[in-house]
Amino acid sequence: MTLIKSISGIRGTIGGRTGDTLNPLDIVKFTTAYATFIGRQPSSAATRKIVVGRDGRLSGLMVRNVVVGTLMGMGYDVLDIGYATTPTTELAVRMSGADGGIIITASHNPRQWNALKLLNREGEFLTAADGAEVLRLAEAEDFLYAEVDHLGTCTVDDSFDQRHIDSVLQLQLVDAEAVRKRHFRVCVDTINSVGGIILPKLFQQLGVDYEVLNGECTGDFAHNPEPLEKNLQGIMQRMRQGGFDLGIVVDPDVDRLAFICEDGTMFGEEYTLVSVADYVLSEMKKANGASGKGFAPVTVSNLSSTRALRDVTERYGGTYAAAAVGEVNVTTKMKEVGAVIGGEGNGGVIYPESHYGRDALVGIALFLSSLAQKGCTATELRRTFPDYQIAKNRIDLTPDTDVDAILAKVKDMFAADPTATVNDIDGVKIDFPDRWVHLRKSNTEPIIRVYSEASTIERADEIGKRLMQVVYDMQ
């Protein structure tokens, strides 16, 4: 059983002993610590309101009840938006003027997991420093609950799905008219979670014909919820039967997005951000005029994402910057450099014109706008981008695994290599002229991730397996 406290929130498996899992007592402790933290922020006393949304997980109602009751016990009014995507909940915090929000979701983790993702008053994830303070408060357990006359209330509001969709359709680069004229037909796999509720509404308002696979919001995931090719054989087979322009896959909380081409082949999860960025940059360059004078856009992704984003950005005369893995690290870097778009290679698109959070609805609307304007198929669009192959491997951690020692050894292995550039801001990434490999401890699972990229999957896998052997030798 597992409990992980990281920059990605508090997540764990359901059931088991306190202190080891995400159980009711620990949910109370971390929710109370979060409420205490929010209450100490300079502007928090204005509303005393916190938004709560959840995905369709089997444990979601139990966790929701504990979280809502605890917040009310801390004197906070809860705005319960029910089943909601992560980006919907983020936007609801801003739209309602709340002091913060809690998203009850373990994102791509399997069904036995759940988590508390913690938001600030901007509807963005807490920084590493703020998250550390919440953990300190939880450890101290010096809590003060509200007296009976000052208990909070709970209000249910199911209007935010439509408000989210409205905000997407109002984005300047979402060409809804062009999308409607193309009469797209799509097949979408929503993994039996909240995507099955909101995405049909988006498609209807974009004039897109659709078929939904695994569309019941039961939380009983039809397959492993991480949107990787090995988990998506069902929708890939459906696409091969023909009749669709595009396959669309989201994770349980709809912040990750993967596309499948009309012939049933993967567009490539890594290329979700690349394709959307290409569209945004091309439209911005058009708006800037033929000369392009003064056009110097910046894009950002994390260290484990494909080089293709860098290449596409430079094609438009822009610059690329890399951030540590984790959404808050990417958004922090985006704000620092003034990025026009960013995200993560796991299919996460962050478009500041909407909000600083990964949003599959934004990604879908921009991608369909790109296809509609270009008049091409997904396969044809994919061919316009640099072709890299990325290998995504993982190693399960044991209680005795010394991750710091492993990272130190990997750094030493390449320290004298003149062709290698070593980056250690997040694990260890080794960049070579023609490939790279990144080894880091996961923020969301008890594993070490080993990602590598090259011109062929064989070359990518070779360097990845070389580093994996280092780990095995030290375990």
Side-chain angles (χ1 to χ4, degrees):
M1 310 303 278
T2 306
L3 183 67
I4 298 175
K5 297 167 278 189
S6 76
I7 196 169
S8 296
I10 313 299
R11 72 178 63 202
T13 51
I14 299 297
R17 297 184 179 277
T18 58
D20 293 334
T21 63
L22 194 70
N23 57 78
L25 286 178
D26 283 314
I27 294 168
V28 169
K29 180 171 73 171
F30 290 116
T31 302
T32 304
Y34 169 73
T36 301
F37 169 81
I38 290 295
R40 295 178 180 178
Q41 303 311 297
S43 58
S44 65
T47 66
R48 298 289 294 181
K49 177 167 54 180
I50 292 177
V51 173
V52 175
R54 64 183 175 102
D55 72 10
R57 287 175 182 271
L58 296 170
S59 59
L61 180 60
M62 179 275 287
V63 178
R64 176 265 180 205
N65 289 343
V66 177
V67 167
V68 170
T70 301
L71 292 173
M72 292 170 65
M74 288 294 291
Y76 276 91
D77 294 333
V78 177
L79 182 61
D80 178 9
I81 64 172
Y83 286 128
T85 74
T86 282
T88 304
T89 310
E90 292 169 344
L91 286 167
V93 172
R94 278 187 10 198
M95 291 174 175
S96 67
D99 294 324
I102 297 179
I103 313 167
I104 301 168
T105 175
S107 193
H108 65 275
N109 290 61
R111 66 202 292 274
Q112 69 268 29
W113 290 76
N114 215 326
L116 309 179
K117 291 185 176 182
L118 309 177
L119 305 175
N120 62 22
R121 66 190 305 270
E122 299 299 323
E124 299 169 14
F125 290 128
L126 299 187
T127 65
D130 288 346
E133 176 61 11
V134 171
L135 296 181
R136 188 195 69 77
L137 292 167
E139 186 68 24
E141 294 191 32
D142 184 16
F143 302 141
L144 181 64
Y145 291 95
E147 297 179 359
V148 68
D149 292 329
H150 300 287
L151 294 174
T153 63
C154 180
T155 301
V156 176
D157 187 341
D158 63 0
S159 68
F160 286 95
D161 274 5
Q162 186 57 53
R163 294 169 73 176
H164 183 182
I165 292 170
D166 289 343
S167 73
V168 171
L169 298 180
Q170 289 165 7
L171 292 171
Q172 185 175 358
L173 295 187
V174 171
D175 193 341
E177 182 179 356
V179 172
R180 293 186 185 105
K181 287 180 178 178
R182 271 292 297 268
H183 302 292
F184 286 113
R185 178 165 166 74
V186 304
C187 183
V188 56
D189 184 347
T190 61
I191 198 66
N192 290 333
S193 191
V194 292
I197 297 173
I198 194 169
L199 291 185
K201 299 175 185 176
L202 174 68
F203 295 140
Q204 289 163 14
Q205 291 170 59
L206 281 171
V208 172
D209 190 18
Y210 61 90
E211 178 179 310
V212 180
L213 305 182
N214 308 313
E216 296 295 322
C217 188
T218 63
D220 195 6
F221 302 146
H223 53 76
N224 186 305
E226 190 161 14
L228 303 177
E229 181 172 357
K230 63 182 180 181
N231 302 326
L232 304 178
Q233 294 306 305
I235 186 172
M236 292 175 72
Q237 177 60 34
R238 184 71 184 92
M239 291 294 296
R240 285 192 286 268
Q241 295 172 11
F244 297 99
D245 298 294
L246 184 67
I248 299 173
V249 181
V250 293
D251 65 341
D253 66 328
V254 198
D255 63 353
R256 288 175 61 173
L257 172 65
F259 296 118
I260 299 170
C261 297
E262 72 284 353
D263 61 359
T265 60
M266 290 292 293
F267 188 84
E269 186 188 27
E270 288 287 327
Y271 283 82
T272 298
L273 173 60
V274 175
S275 60
V276 174
D278 175 74
Y279 171 66
V280 169
L281 293 172
S282 66
E283 290 300 300
M284 291 181 68
K285 189 162 187 175
K286 287 179 191 175
N288 196 65
S291 69
K293 186 177 180 180
F295 183 63
V298 181
T299 65
V300 173
S301 65
N302 68 40
L303 288 169
S304 280
S305 300
T306 179
R307 279 182 178 174
L309 179 62
R310 178 202 66 183
D311 296 350
V312 166
T313 303
E314 291 175 352
R315 181 188 297 172
Y316 289 99
T319 56
Y320 165 80
V325 175
E327 183 172 324
V328 68
N329 293 322
V330 174
T331 57
T332 298
K333 175 61 75 170
M334 288 177 68
K335 293 175 183 178
E336 176 188 322
V337 300
V340 298
I341 192 168
E344 300 185 282
N346 60 14
V349 175
I350 303 173
Y351 187 45
E353 287 296 314
S354 174
H355 63 118
Y356 278 102
R358 297 184 305 190
D359 192 329
L361 276 73
V362 169
I364 290 168
L366 291 172
F367 188 87
L368 290 175
S369 296
S370 179
L371 283 184
Q373 288 195 11
K374 292 179 171 68
C376 66
T377 66
T379 301
E380 291 167 341
L381 179 62
R382 178 64 178 81
R383 292 193 190 116
T384 66
F385 304 127
D387 192 20
Y388 295 110
Q389 300 296 319
I390 192 164
K392 297 185 177 183
N393 292 295
R394 54 181 281 171
I395 301 170
D396 292 333
L397 291 173
T398 70
D400 298 325
T401 303
D402 188 339
V403 176
D404 291 337
I406 290 168
L407 297 178
K409 183 168 183 177
V410 170
K411 284 178 63 178
D412 289 343
M413 285 175 59
F414 297 98
D417 187 338
T419 67
T421 301
V422 179
N423 185 322
D424 62 358
I425 66 170
D426 183 12
V428 177
K429 182 176 183 180
I430 315 297
D431 265 300
F432 301 94
D434 61 343
R435 56 181 172 166
W436 58 261
V437 58
H438 187 201
L439 183 150
R440 55 177 290 276
K441 184 178 179 181
S442 172
N443 293 326
T444 59
E445 299 177 77
I447 62 174
I448 292 174
R449 296 193 186 276
V450 184
Y451 285 10
S452 48
E453 185 178 64
S455 58
T456 68
I457 193 65
E458 292 78 15
R459 297 197 74 233
D461 215 32
E462 183 273 328
I463 187 67
K465 294 291 176 59
R466 180 180 172 191
L467 263 65
M468 291 173 71
Q469 191 58 52
V470 173
V471 179
Y472 293 140
D473 291 344
M474 296 184 67
Q475 281 187 329

